[in-house]
Amino acid sequence: MPVCLKTTGMKRTTLARLGAALTIMPLALHAGPFDGTYKQTANAECALVGVDGGSLRIEDDIFYGVEVECRMTNPVMIEDMQATVFDMACIGEGSTWEERVIMMLDAQDPGIYMIWDGYAFRYERCEDPGE
């Protein structure tokens, strides 16, 4: 039997917008291609995020580095590459700043490349963040 929804006080366009928002919402919870925990050095502790000798993490469009957090915004994919340019709004050590970064998946090994203005880093993905 069909269900009839009474729209007391709500216009159909409002209901349509709500339905569209609920449809899009699960996409925001999906992990991005760069999400994960990465070793700063070959012998880094994967369980220690954000400290020297530990690891860094990318999760929910936030980069967690050594005593710094950067919100990753305005992603622009680079054509024919598994790479994206992000604007980074960073906070750490008592100051805030903005940077741009290129992130690219390593095509041969599990890891990423991060290219900042004048610097390039390769980070190996941690197998299990709890190690």
Side-chain angles (χ1 to χ4, degrees):
M1 172 178 270
V3 176
C4 180
L5 295 176
K6 191 171 182 181
T7 58
T8 53
M10 286 186 123
K11 294 182 180 179
R12 287 184 184 201
T13 55
T14 303
L15 288 174
R17 286 184 191 142
L18 178 61
L22 292 173
T23 302
I24 293 170
M25 196 179 315
L27 297 176
L29 300 175
H30 184 267
F34 305 106
D35 280 10
T37 304
Y38 300 90
K39 296 178 181 181
Q40 292 181 48
T41 62
N43 298 325
E45 288 285 329
C46 290
L48 299 175
V49 175
V51 297
D52 284 326
S55 60
L56 58 92
R57 179 176 296 141
I58 299 170
E59 183 176 33
D60 298 328
D61 296 325
I62 299 176
F63 167 79
Y64 300 93
V66 178
E67 298 181 18
V68 65
E69 287 184 18
C70 299
R71 180 154 309 279
M72 302 161 53
T73 63
N74 302 320
V76 177
M77 294 182 69
I78 300 174
E79 190 173 333
D80 296 328
M81 297 177 70
Q82 289 192 352
T84 305
V85 178
F86 291 97
D87 291 332
M88 307 286 271
C90 302
I91 185 167
E93 299 182 356
S95 63
T96 60
W97 66 96
E98 293 183 5
E99 297 275 342
R100 293 198 92 199
V101 66
I102 298 172
M103 290 192 189
M104 182 173 64
L105 295 174
D106 188 323
Q108 297 179 358
D109 294 315
I112 59 169
Y113 291 95
M114 292 184 70
I115 299 101
W116 301 79
D117 184 23
Y119 301 94
F121 303 95
R122 189 205 175 277
Y123 298 109
E124 180 181 338
R125 183 182 291 270
C126 290
E127 290 182 28
D128 177 17
E131 300 184 345

